[in-house]
Amino acid sequence: MQATYNKFPEVAVQGYDDQAWQGWQSINEILNARLFTSSRTVLVVDCYPGVRLQELEQQLLPALNSVLTINVETARLDEQALQQMLAANLTDDRVFGVLSCHRLSAFFDAEKLNLLRQQIDAVKHGVVVVYGPGAALAHPGDLLIYADLPRWEIQQRMRRDRLSNWGADNQHEDILRRYKRAFFIEWRVFDRHKTPLLRRADYLLDTTRKLAPALVSGKALRAGLQQTTTRPFRVVPFFDPGVWGGQWMKRQFDLDPSAPNYAWCFDCVPEENSLLLRFGAVRIEIPSQDLVLLYPRALLGEKVHARFGTEFPIRFDFLDTIGGQNLSFQVHPVTEYIQQHFGMHYTQDESYYILEAEPEAVVYLGVKTGTDPQAMLADLRAAAQGKRAFDDERFVNRIPARKHDHFLIPAGTVHCSGAGAMVLEISATPYIFTFKLWDWARVGLDGLPRPVHLDHGEQVIDWSRDTQWVYDHLVNRIEPLAESAGWREERTGLHEREFIETRRHWFSAPVTHHTQGGVNVLNLVEGAEAVVDSPTGAFAPFHVHYAETFIIPAAVGEYRISPAGNSVGRQLATIKAWVRG
């Protein structure tokens, strides 16, 4: 079967085709035309951490004919001072830190910044260029460019290029520690810093691809993001191998056949995914989080924004163990634990929706009735020390998993997917907070032992979630709600402790939905193709294919989903998630 899954979905922006440029030569020509003046002009090029400053220094700065060029990082605190300031956030743990509440100015020496400002003020004629992460702290800019890139690309640079964290010479640290520092500190600090800059930037510089930059005017960027909130859209999925990864996605999504496996597909994680905006012949790749930062009310809706701020609270991703192995046996922290230990205000409740399954597939979920907590913890500790394998058959429920089953996993429930399943994971967004209890004696792809967090895990396991409770509350809680000619609606969860509601619609005829003032996230879980349109023609028809996740912004209101293409006359199904009121 030919793969139909679109790995590079775009939003075509209307009305700004002449406001984007590709390549350093075109970018330099545009900027020089703006900078031509008889008086002093200060060009500020502020950057997200991970932008290749050397490329800017080689390809951009020489063409600007500046009389003074300043790298703002010369005023940054040294590595030792930063380490002392951040020690409480970094912790000694390899994976977990504490979320930072720092402002970016705290990372700079105030006296050195003041000296930079004096140098700028001393120039009376010509172009002054201030560049680097935090450049706007030295001067607001007569012309402001923000150089950006998605977090997923930053992670790739950490792996491929051994990129250090910002302000640290730590390229030889393992990837988990560098990711931890980025997740808990850098990305939080720089998102606070860049949000007001994006609202007033004259240009955004897309630095995602090496030596292939793109530039878009700030006006066009903001118009493109605003247009995105009025229509269905998809973010750019990314795929990653893992020690337990399978083969299903490789075939279904036309991925690199030479890769050993693919474990994850992050199909809707706006904090890390890209968003592709097309302006005529130029495609701009930005963090999809920029949309959340700039237009949260139209995207999320008033109630969701009031509750979560500029965080997209719903995550859809895939876990592929078909032809692979069991996931790590794990548990997620309950709300009070994640608040007290990590500074996160909500936790990672989730569910497993089974897209495909081999005949012997199972889900591990909850403890067996009669389990002695101390006996199970002792067995887990012995397994972690390499003394013996964890006796999962003694302690954990193994529940058969079939296509279209839905398993609910509120925080505190021990769980994992077994081999042979293609899982659509529907969860809250704090995606790093997984306490591994047992990892089947594996090492990671980096050759290092995979970290196990028994000390955290034993604090949050809910031992009351035994066999009967799990079957009564977490397995296929399917509730018929409504039906008419050509469709029926079912409630499939989630558990009452989880803030996400899910509904499944089976349909062979058009089905009308409404966002009810909150963002909707959907996946086409059955059928080859569907079309999403507006009953009032408010947006252009939007086509989706099997297993594609798509977002309906709160501002859309009413929308309709119908079979399309070869699926006309057949039965399809979507799973829809939103935040309960």
Side-chain angles (χ1 to χ4, degrees):
M1 183 177 68
Q2 183 179 3
T4 58
Y5 182 91
N6 184 0
K7 299 188 289 293
F8 302 99
E10 297 179 346
V11 175
V13 180
Q14 303 299 313
Y16 294 87
D17 288 3
D18 61 346
Q19 293 295 300
W21 305 268
Q22 185 78 50
W24 283 120
Q25 181 176 346
S26 297
I27 290 170
N28 290 335
E29 290 173 358
I30 289 296
L31 295 180
N32 275 308
R34 285 288 303 268
L35 292 169
F36 182 75
T37 176
S38 57
S39 60
R40 186 197 71 176
T41 302
V42 180
L43 170 62
V44 168
V45 185
D46 209 317
C47 306
Y48 208 71
V51 169
R52 294 186 177 96
L53 294 188
Q54 186 177 25
E55 185 172 337
L56 297 184
E57 292 164 348
Q58 294 175 350
Q59 303 294 330
L60 175 65
L61 303 188
L64 299 177
N65 301 311
S66 60
V67 297
L68 175 64
T69 299
I70 293 173
N71 181 346
V72 75
E73 291 189 315
T74 60
R76 189 182 60 203
L77 296 176
D78 63 33
E79 184 173 0
Q80 183 177 0
L82 289 178
Q83 193 73 19
Q84 291 174 350
M85 182 177 78
L86 300 174
N89 296 91
L90 288 173
T91 74
D92 294 328
D93 193 283
R94 188 177 166 204
V95 175
F96 300 116
V98 177
L99 289 179
S100 166
C101 292
H102 296 91
R103 310 299 298 187
L104 185 57
S105 57
F107 290 69
F108 287 83
D109 184 306
E111 291 186 9
K112 290 182 178 179
L113 268 182
N114 192 49
L115 288 174
L116 295 185
R117 296 185 188 108
Q118 292 176 24
Q119 291 182 52
I120 296 168
D121 291 342
V123 176
K124 303 304 179 186
H125 300 282
V127 174
V128 176
V129 176
V130 188
Y131 72 100
L137 296 174
H139 194 281
D142 301 313
L143 193 67
L144 173 62
I145 300 174
Y146 195 82
D148 214 349
L149 78 168
R151 293 181 185 176
W152 176 237
E153 173 60 21
I154 295 172
Q155 293 176 59
Q156 294 300 90
R157 293 180 188 185
M158 286 180 172
R159 298 177 187 179
R160 181 184 61 235
D161 307 330
R162 300 205 67 86
L163 174 71
S164 290
N165 289 104
W166 185 69
D169 184 17
N170 66 342
Q171 67 269 27
H172 298 299
E173 277 194 328
D174 72 78
I175 184 64
L176 291 180
R177 290 188 183 276
R178 283 180 285 145
Y179 177 85
K180 177 188 74 171
R181 182 164 175 153
F183 178 90
F184 284 95
I185 299 171
E186 291 163 26
W187 297 340
R188 311 296 163 177
V189 171
F190 275 91
D191 280 358
R192 293 184 198 108
H193 175 70
K194 80 172 178 178
T195 301
L197 299 184
L198 290 177
R199 293 192 182 112
R200 67 177 183 87
D202 297 284
Y203 298 98
L204 178 135
L205 179 62
D206 166 12
T207 67
T208 307
R209 292 188 296 153
K210 187 176 183 179
L211 297 175
L215 187 75
V216 62
S217 74
K219 181 179 180 180
L221 170 72
R222 292 182 287 272
L225 293 175
Q226 194 279 328
Q227 289 181 25
T228 304
T229 67
T230 66
R231 45 155 290 170
F233 70 97
R234 294 183 61 223
V235 295
V236 181
F238 60 87
F239 305 86
D240 219 13
V243 294
W244 44 262
Q247 304 297 316
W248 187 88
M249 288 192 296
K250 188 189 297 186
R251 298 187 296 267
Q252 185 69 37
F253 299 158
D254 190 26
L255 305 178
D256 181 1
S258 67
N261 68 63
Y262 287 96
W264 291 277
C265 168
F266 295 92
D267 201 36
C268 179
V269 189
E271 285 193 354
E272 297 203 4
N273 289 106
S274 301
L275 178 65
L276 296 178
L277 301 177
R278 177 161 291 281
F279 299 87
V282 179
R283 189 173 77 179
I284 300 291
E285 184 170 2
I286 62 171
S288 51
Q289 179 67 6
D290 288 355
L291 176 64
V292 188
L293 295 175
L294 264 63
Y295 294 96
R297 292 188 174 188
L299 175 64
L300 303 177
E302 289 292 331
K303 291 182 179 179
V304 179
H305 177 239
R307 184 171 174 182
F308 294 97
T310 53
E311 292 185 16
F312 195 95
I314 302 171
R315 180 185 79 169
F316 276 36
D317 62 270
F318 298 126
L319 310 171
D320 182 0
T321 66
I322 293 181
Q325 305 173 28
N326 296 344
L327 271 67
S328 60
F329 181 56
Q330 59 194 242
V331 66
H332 299 301
V334 294
T335 303
E336 59 268 30
Y337 196 87
I338 204 171
Q339 290 173 341
Q340 293 168 5
H341 289 264
F342 308 115
M344 196 83 196
H345 66 278
Y346 64 105
T347 194
Q348 187 171 321
D349 294 306
E350 62 187 28
S351 69
Y352 287 169
Y353 189 91
I354 307 300
L355 271 183
E356 302 286 349
E358 294 182 319
E360 302 304 315
V362 298
V363 165
Y364 295 77
L365 189 62
V367 297
K368 285 189 173 180
T369 298
T371 291
D372 177 359
Q374 294 309 313
M376 177 170 152
L377 291 171
D379 209 58
L380 285 167
R381 288 193 188 95
Q385 294 165 6
K387 296 178 180 180
R388 60 177 179 268
F390 173 61
D391 191 354
D392 59 280
E393 290 192 15
R394 175 185 173 191
F395 296 109
V396 186
N397 301 306
R398 298 172 79 250
I399 303 173
R402 302 291 177 259
K403 183 179 175 68
H404 294 304
D405 284 348
H406 199 181
F407 300 90
L408 315 182
I409 313 173
T413 311
V414 296
H415 67 280
C416 73
S417 171
M422 180 61 194
V423 173
L424 169 61
E425 186 177 49
I426 301 172
S427 75
T429 300
Y431 44 89
I432 194 175
F433 298 98
T434 296
F435 299 152
K436 293 185 181 71
L437 304 174
W438 165 241
D439 201 36
W440 318 97
R442 296 180 296 217
V443 297
L445 295 181
D446 55 6
L448 298 174
R450 303 241 295 167
V452 172
H453 290 94
L454 275 178
D455 290 343
H456 285 305
E458 68 178 334
Q459 302 297 317
V460 301
I461 295 173
D462 190 329
W463 299 99
S464 70
R465 293 177 184 168
D466 61 9
T467 306
Q468 192 61 52
W469 193 93
V470 164
Y471 274 99
D472 287 347
H473 296 90
L474 302 184
V475 179
N476 285 329
R477 303 299 298 164
I478 310 300
E479 177 186 352
L481 293 178
E483 65 179 300
S484 187
W487 65 267
R488 73 179 187 272
E489 179 183 8
E490 301 165 334
R491 182 181 184 275
T492 69
L494 297 186
H495 185 261
E496 63 183 3
R497 287 188 62 90
E498 305 180 71
F499 63 75
I500 295 174
E501 179 75 10
T502 58
R503 299 286 173 86
R504 182 169 60 195
H505 287 80
W506 297 96
F507 62 102
S508 57
V511 181
T512 299
H513 299 249
H514 201 290
T515 64
Q516 302 296 336
V519 64
N520 291 185
V521 181
L522 300 94
N523 188 284
L524 185 64
V525 296
E526 182 71 33
E529 183 179 1
V531 62
V532 187
D533 68 356
S534 166
T536 62
F539 56 82
F542 180 80
H543 287 259
V544 295
H545 303 92
Y546 176 61
E548 291 181 351
T549 299
F550 55 103
I551 298 169
I552 309 291
V556 166
E558 190 177 43
Y559 60 100
R560 181 172 53 201
I561 305 179
S562 310
N566 293 332
S567 293
V568 173
R570 301 171 183 263
Q571 181 170 254
L572 293 80
T574 57
I575 191 85
K576 176 172 68 172
W578 73 90
V579 175
R580 292 187 181 122

